[in-house]
Every structure is written in structure tokens, then in C-alpha cells.
Amino acid sequence: MKRNYVYWDIDITNWDDVYSKYAPVFSELNMNNSNDVRACVRYFRDITKNLVDNHYTIDFINSLIADSSIFPAYERKKNLPAFHEPYPYWKIDTNYLDKGYLIGKNTNFINNGQPLTILYGTIQNKILYISFNHFSLAESFGTSTGTSIQLILQVYFSMLDNLPENIKGLIVDVRSNLGGDLNDLNFFAKHFVNTQHLFGYAQYKIGDGLYSFTPWFPAYINPANLSKNISKPIIILADNFSASTAEALVMFVKSIPNSTFIGETTFGATGAIINDSSMNYGSFTISNFMHVQTSSARFKYIDGKIYENEGFPPDIFIPFNLTAIQNGHDIALEKAIDRIQ
């Protein structure tokens, strides 16, 4: 943790105090004693409860505790008054789309128990709408099981490259999108700009010190060959379970003129997960005991602020309303539609 964790300079957890408190506790444990092994879960839950890295999770490998896991950010958030679980908005949002809308699924790509699902269409023949529930777009695009995903994205990207006059604005919906493949960010966003576009900065750990960081590196979206700058209004919808790559997309869209973010403050997992065991930062495994997921890099938006743990705030706050949804009304989407009209 001392070497791999990228948020020590902003985290309220004093790791030296943690070590002083728990080093003697762990030294007394007998890992051949099942009760001692199970006690580790309780200790690690206490140690990690306030870590600001909202990607941080522990999955235990030891057979005695393999049914246990730790997700500090989720544990904190579920105690908030406005907490709600992810919701499949696409199930009611088809009611707002014009006839001929498209739904694509790829059951080979699952996140949080849900297959990759894309909903695409127009609203009142003047708003271009797309939603997707996680980021495995590029990988699904190139597979034999992703033909419906490929078709929808090809149609959508073609529309972006040559927006018809009747299209007055765009809605991109990443509510309850928990993120996924970071490569999807440029794969999707490159169709919105025609020049290299700066939307933030990334920073990594170097060496073993708590505060040993690289300089901040610029984070760009590189344009597609035929893309154009989208000058029409763009509204992005996100909620409290829009996380990771979904948050990166929100911040990218917000860095474009004529954009508005409607919904709830995002999850606050803005760092990047990079699966590269050769790195000396980010996720790591303790053999035969546990796997720790933690951010490999941290992200700073173009306003100079790190939104990790806080989440990115909306321009227009629309709280989750289950009663309205159960009655077939998506208030956030309706607000987006009204704003473009």
C-alpha cells in the first residue's frame, strides 16, 4: 500500500498510525487458525474504511474467507440518505424514442451482472440519443457476438460525422454505468472533436515513497479521421453510480462548449485501473490470501481539481425518483429533452 497507493497526499488515512496500531495485531495472528484468518476481514475492513480511492476493493483468495470482500466506497455510499442502486433506465426510456430505435446486447460482456446494453435512436426526430450501461464497446465491436453493438455504433458514429439539419442536440446517457475498459473513452469520444482535445491530466507513482509522483501528464482525446467538432448542444446524463470511465466521459463532454451535465453527482472513482503486473503501483496480489484493486493513476480535471471520492457535480441536479420511474417517467431525461427544445 505504501508503494502502490496513489492518493496518500490527499487521503485522510494516516498510514503510519495504521501500521503502528495493526502491525502488532497481525504479528500475533496464527494463519493456520481459522478464527484468526476470519478476523483479518474485520481488521482490513477497519483499516480501509476511509480510503479515498473509490476503486479500492479487496477480494480474498484464502478459501476460508473467499466469500468475503471489501468495498469501502460502496459501504460509505449506501449509508447516504440519497443512495440508490444502479437502475436499468433503458427499460423505460424506449418510451421516449421515435419508432425505429435500436437496442443491442452482448451477453459475453458482463458488468455488475448485466450484459452490455446499448439503446440508440432519435427523440421527436430532433434529438440524437444513446445510452450504454458499461464500457466494453470497442472489444464487443470486434467480436462475432457483438454484431448488434457494432451495427448501432456504426450508425451512431456515422450520424455524428454528418449530423442532419433536423438534429438540434444530442443526449449521451451513462447513468448507472460503472465504467470498464479505459480504451473505450477515446474509441467513443473521438467522434465529437476534430482536433486533439485536452480534458485533464493523469499522474502516477514512482519509487516506494508515499509522495513519489510523476509530473502530471496531459490527457487527450485524439479525433477520428472523419470527425467534426459537435457545435450543437450536448447533454450528458449521469447518476451516483456513473463511475470510472463513465466519469471520464462526463468530464470530457463537460470540457466541450455547449455541453450540460444533468443528473446526480457521480460515484467518484475517477482514477484509472491499468492491468499491468509489471508496474510498481496500482493493483496487487498477496499470494494465496487476497487481491487488492486500487487505482494505477489519478486524474485531475482541466479545472485543476481531483474529484476522487467527491464525484463530479452536475450543472442541473435531478435526484433519482423511483416513484416517477415506476410510473413511466424519467425526469432527468425529460429535463434534457426540454433543454434542447
mmCIF file of all heavy atoms in Angstrom, residues 265-290:
data_model
loop_
_atom_site.group_PDB
_atom_site.id
_atom_site.type_symbol
_atom_site.label_atom_id
_atom_site.label_comp_id
_atom_site.label_asym_id
_atom_site.label_seq_id
_atom_site.Cartn_x
_atom_site.Cartn_y
_atom_site.Cartn_z
ATOM 1 N N THR A 265 -24.506 13.804 -8.751
ATOM 2 C CA THR A 265 -23.053 13.754 -8.632
ATOM 3 C C THR A 265 -22.584 12.319 -8.850
ATOM 4 O O THR A 265 -23.177 11.375 -8.337
ATOM 5 C CB THR A 265 -22.608 14.243 -7.248
ATOM 6 O OG1 THR A 265 -23.022 15.611 -7.086
ATOM 7 C CG2 THR A 265 -21.098 14.151 -7.089
ATOM 8 N N THR A 266 -21.533 12.166 -9.622
ATOM 9 C CA THR A 266 -21.062 10.832 -9.997
ATOM 10 C C THR A 266 -20.433 10.100 -8.816
ATOM 11 O O THR A 266 -20.270 10.657 -7.729
ATOM 12 C CB THR A 266 -20.058 10.924 -11.155
ATOM 13 O OG1 THR A 266 -18.915 11.699 -10.729
ATOM 14 C CG2 THR A 266 -20.698 11.588 -12.375
ATOM 15 N N PHE A 267 -20.039 8.851 -9.049
ATOM 16 C CA PHE A 267 -19.587 7.963 -7.974
ATOM 17 C C PHE A 267 -18.297 8.433 -7.311
ATOM 18 O O PHE A 267 -18.106 8.261 -6.112
ATOM 19 C CB PHE A 267 -19.380 6.552 -8.548
ATOM 20 C CG PHE A 267 -19.142 5.495 -7.511
ATOM 21 C CD1 PHE A 267 -20.203 4.936 -6.815
ATOM 22 C CD2 PHE A 267 -17.861 5.050 -7.237
ATOM 23 C CE1 PHE A 267 -19.998 3.947 -5.859
ATOM 24 C CE2 PHE A 267 -17.633 4.067 -6.280
ATOM 25 C CZ PHE A 267 -18.708 3.507 -5.593
ATOM 26 N N GLY A 268 -17.394 9.028 -8.079
ATOM 27 C CA GLY A 268 -16.135 9.496 -7.507
ATOM 28 C C GLY A 268 -15.007 8.494 -7.587
ATOM 29 O O GLY A 268 -14.118 8.487 -6.725
ATOM 30 N N ALA A 269 -15.025 7.645 -8.625
ATOM 31 C CA ALA A 269 -13.913 6.716 -8.881
ATOM 32 C C ALA A 269 -13.237 7.171 -10.171
ATOM 33 O O ALA A 269 -13.362 6.545 -11.216
ATOM 34 C CB ALA A 269 -14.421 5.284 -9.003
ATOM 35 N N THR A 270 -12.526 8.283 -10.086
ATOM 36 C CA THR A 270 -12.025 8.947 -11.295
ATOM 37 C C THR A 270 -10.631 8.503 -11.704
ATOM 38 O O THR A 270 -10.154 8.890 -12.768
ATOM 39 C CB THR A 270 -12.019 10.470 -11.095
ATOM 40 O OG1 THR A 270 -11.137 10.803 -9.999
ATOM 41 C CG2 THR A 270 -13.412 10.986 -10.775
ATOM 42 N N GLY A 271 -9.960 7.719 -10.869
ATOM 43 C CA GLY A 271 -8.642 7.202 -11.231
ATOM 44 C C GLY A 271 -8.755 6.134 -12.298
ATOM 45 O O GLY A 271 -9.850 5.723 -12.692
ATOM 46 N N ALA A 272 -7.599 5.677 -12.760
ATOM 47 C CA ALA A 272 -7.577 4.665 -13.826
ATOM 48 C C ALA A 272 -7.083 3.339 -13.281
ATOM 49 O O ALA A 272 -6.161 3.291 -12.465
ATOM 50 C CB ALA A 272 -6.668 5.126 -14.962
ATOM 51 N N ILE A 273 -7.717 2.255 -13.734
ATOM 52 C CA ILE A 273 -7.251 0.900 -13.448
ATOM 53 C C ILE A 273 -6.536 0.386 -14.683
ATOM 54 O O ILE A 273 -7.118 0.309 -15.766
ATOM 55 C CB ILE A 273 -8.425 -0.041 -13.104
ATOM 56 C CG1 ILE A 273 -9.140 0.438 -11.833
ATOM 57 C CG2 ILE A 273 -7.939 -1.473 -12.938
ATOM 58 C CD1 ILE A 273 -8.322 0.325 -10.577
ATOM 59 N N ILE A 274 -5.261 0.076 -14.526
ATOM 60 C CA ILE A 274 -4.463 -0.444 -15.637
ATOM 61 C C ILE A 274 -3.928 -1.810 -15.239
ATOM 62 O O ILE A 274 -3.224 -1.946 -14.242
ATOM 63 C CB ILE A 274 -3.284 0.497 -15.974
ATOM 64 C CG1 ILE A 274 -3.818 1.898 -16.331
ATOM 65 C CG2 ILE A 274 -2.452 -0.064 -17.118
ATOM 66 C CD1 ILE A 274 -2.746 2.943 -16.473
ATOM 67 N N ASN A 275 -4.309 -2.821 -15.980
ATOM 68 C CA ASN A 275 -3.906 -4.195 -15.650
ATOM 69 C C ASN A 275 -2.524 -4.493 -16.234
ATOM 70 O O ASN A 275 -2.397 -4.971 -17.353
ATOM 71 C CB ASN A 275 -4.938 -5.190 -16.178
ATOM 72 C CG ASN A 275 -6.281 -5.033 -15.501
ATOM 73 O OD1 ASN A 275 -6.342 -4.865 -14.287
ATOM 74 N ND2 ASN A 275 -7.359 -5.073 -16.265
ATOM 75 N N ASP A 276 -1.507 -4.177 -15.458
ATOM 76 C CA ASP A 276 -0.128 -4.410 -15.875
ATOM 77 C C ASP A 276 0.677 -4.786 -14.645
ATOM 78 O O ASP A 276 1.036 -3.932 -13.826
ATOM 79 C CB ASP A 276 0.453 -3.165 -16.541
ATOM 80 C CG ASP A 276 1.848 -3.397 -17.113
ATOM 81 O OD1 ASP A 276 2.432 -4.446 -16.813
ATOM 82 O OD2 ASP A 276 2.344 -2.524 -17.842
ATOM 83 N N SER A 277 0.945 -6.070 -14.482
ATOM 84 C CA SER A 277 1.618 -6.571 -13.283
ATOM 85 C C SER A 277 3.062 -6.099 -13.183
ATOM 86 O O SER A 277 3.688 -6.228 -12.130
ATOM 87 C CB SER A 277 1.578 -8.106 -13.262
ATOM 88 O OG SER A 277 2.215 -8.637 -14.406
ATOM 89 N N SER A 278 3.608 -5.542 -14.264
ATOM 90 C CA SER A 278 4.992 -5.080 -14.237
ATOM 91 C C SER A 278 5.140 -3.739 -13.535
ATOM 92 O O SER A 278 6.254 -3.328 -13.198
ATOM 93 C CB SER A 278 5.536 -4.970 -15.666
ATOM 94 O OG SER A 278 4.881 -3.921 -16.369
ATOM 95 N N MET A 279 4.010 -3.041 -13.305
ATOM 96 C CA MET A 279 4.079 -1.728 -12.683
ATOM 97 C C MET A 279 4.224 -1.871 -11.169
ATOM 98 O O MET A 279 3.740 -2.834 -10.565
ATOM 99 C CB MET A 279 2.827 -0.916 -13.012
ATOM 100 C CG MET A 279 2.626 -0.663 -14.489
ATOM 101 S SD MET A 279 1.306 0.525 -14.833
ATOM 102 C CE MET A 279 -0.072 -0.247 -13.997
ATOM 103 N N ASN A 280 4.863 -0.887 -10.547
ATOM 104 C CA ASN A 280 5.020 -0.927 -9.100
ATOM 105 C C ASN A 280 4.015 -0.001 -8.427
ATOM 106 O O ASN A 280 4.267 0.540 -7.355
ATOM 107 C CB ASN A 280 6.453 -0.554 -8.693
ATOM 108 C CG ASN A 280 6.771 0.902 -8.960
ATOM 109 O OD1 ASN A 280 6.100 1.548 -9.745
ATOM 110 N ND2 ASN A 280 7.817 1.408 -8.306
ATOM 111 N N TYR A 281 2.861 0.182 -9.056
ATOM 112 C CA TYR A 281 1.794 0.966 -8.470
ATOM 113 C C TYR A 281 0.468 0.367 -8.930
ATOM 114 O O TYR A 281 0.403 -0.403 -9.882
ATOM 115 C CB TYR A 281 1.892 2.446 -8.877
ATOM 116 C CG TYR A 281 2.161 2.668 -10.349
ATOM 117 C CD1 TYR A 281 1.130 2.621 -11.285
ATOM 118 C CD2 TYR A 281 3.449 2.913 -10.802
ATOM 119 C CE1 TYR A 281 1.377 2.816 -12.624
ATOM 120 C CE2 TYR A 281 3.707 3.123 -12.150
ATOM 121 C CZ TYR A 281 2.670 3.076 -13.051
ATOM 122 O OH TYR A 281 2.916 3.272 -14.381
ATOM 123 N N GLY A 282 -0.603 0.713 -8.238
ATOM 124 C CA GLY A 282 -1.911 0.168 -8.588
ATOM 125 C C GLY A 282 -2.162 -1.186 -7.947
ATOM 126 O O GLY A 282 -1.600 -1.525 -6.904
ATOM 127 N N SER A 283 -3.024 -1.972 -8.571
ATOM 128 C CA SER A 283 -3.492 -3.241 -8.009
ATOM 129 C C SER A 283 -2.360 -4.225 -7.768
ATOM 130 O O SER A 283 -1.345 -4.207 -8.460
ATOM 131 C CB SER A 283 -4.530 -3.865 -8.947
ATOM 132 O OG SER A 283 -5.609 -2.969 -9.166
ATOM 133 N N PHE A 284 -2.563 -5.081 -6.758
ATOM 134 C CA PHE A 284 -1.552 -6.074 -6.415
ATOM 135 C C PHE A 284 -2.211 -7.270 -5.745
ATOM 136 O O PHE A 284 -3.365 -7.202 -5.303
ATOM 137 C CB PHE A 284 -0.471 -5.482 -5.509
ATOM 138 C CG PHE A 284 -0.995 -4.934 -4.202
ATOM 139 C CD1 PHE A 284 -1.014 -5.713 -3.048
ATOM 140 C CD2 PHE A 284 -1.455 -3.617 -4.122
ATOM 141 C CE1 PHE A 284 -1.494 -5.200 -1.852
ATOM 142 C CE2 PHE A 284 -1.934 -3.100 -2.920
ATOM 143 C CZ PHE A 284 -1.950 -3.889 -1.783
ATOM 144 N N THR A 285 -1.470 -8.367 -5.685
ATOM 145 C CA THR A 285 -1.974 -9.607 -5.092
ATOM 146 C C THR A 285 -1.010 -10.089 -4.010
ATOM 147 O O THR A 285 0.210 -10.064 -4.203
ATOM 148 C CB THR A 285 -2.132 -10.702 -6.154
ATOM 149 O OG1 THR A 285 -3.107 -10.274 -7.121
ATOM 150 C CG2 THR A 285 -2.599 -12.017 -5.534
ATOM 151 N N ILE A 286 -1.562 -10.500 -2.887
ATOM 152 C CA ILE A 286 -0.796 -11.188 -1.844
ATOM 153 C C ILE A 286 -1.086 -12.671 -2.012
ATOM 154 O O ILE A 286 -2.225 -13.115 -1.823
ATOM 155 C CB ILE A 286 -1.181 -10.697 -0.444
ATOM 156 C CG1 ILE A 286 -0.852 -9.195 -0.318
ATOM 157 C CG2 ILE A 286 -0.451 -11.490 0.631
ATOM 158 C CD1 ILE A 286 -1.274 -8.583 0.993
ATOM 159 N N SER A 287 -0.093 -13.408 -2.407
ATOM 160 C CA SER A 287 -0.256 -14.799 -2.821
ATOM 161 C C SER A 287 -1.049 -15.626 -1.811
ATOM 162 O O SER A 287 -0.805 -15.570 -0.602
ATOM 163 C CB SER A 287 1.134 -15.426 -3.024
ATOM 164 O OG SER A 287 1.012 -16.758 -3.459
ATOM 165 N N ASN A 288 -2.044 -16.330 -2.343
ATOM 166 C CA ASN A 288 -2.871 -17.257 -1.568
ATOM 167 C C ASN A 288 -3.692 -16.582 -0.470
ATOM 168 O O ASN A 288 -4.235 -17.251 0.412
ATOM 169 C CB ASN A 288 -2.022 -18.368 -0.930
ATOM 170 C CG ASN A 288 -1.297 -19.196 -1.962
ATOM 171 O OD1 ASN A 288 -1.861 -19.545 -3.007
ATOM 172 N ND2 ASN A 288 -0.032 -19.503 -1.692
ATOM 173 N N PHE A 289 -3.779 -15.242 -0.532
ATOM 174 C CA PHE A 289 -4.557 -14.575 0.517
ATOM 175 C C PHE A 289 -5.573 -13.573 -0.030
ATOM 176 O O PHE A 289 -6.764 -13.675 0.246
ATOM 177 C CB PHE A 289 -3.625 -13.881 1.512
ATOM 178 C CG PHE A 289 -4.354 -13.363 2.723
ATOM 179 C CD1 PHE A 289 -4.924 -14.237 3.627
ATOM 180 C CD2 PHE A 289 -4.495 -11.999 2.923
ATOM 181 C CE1 PHE A 289 -5.625 -13.768 4.726
ATOM 182 C CE2 PHE A 289 -5.190 -11.513 4.021
ATOM 183 C CZ PHE A 289 -5.752 -12.398 4.936
ATOM 184 N N MET A 290 -5.112 -12.576 -0.814
ATOM 185 C CA MET A 290 -6.091 -11.600 -1.297
ATOM 186 C C MET A 290 -5.567 -10.838 -2.507
ATOM 187 O O MET A 290 -4.358 -10.737 -2.726
ATOM 188 C CB MET A 290 -6.465 -10.599 -0.201
ATOM 189 C CG MET A 290 -5.362 -9.657 0.230
ATOM 190 S SD MET A 290 -5.926 -8.581 1.586
ATOM 191 C CE MET A 290 -4.517 -7.480 1.775
#
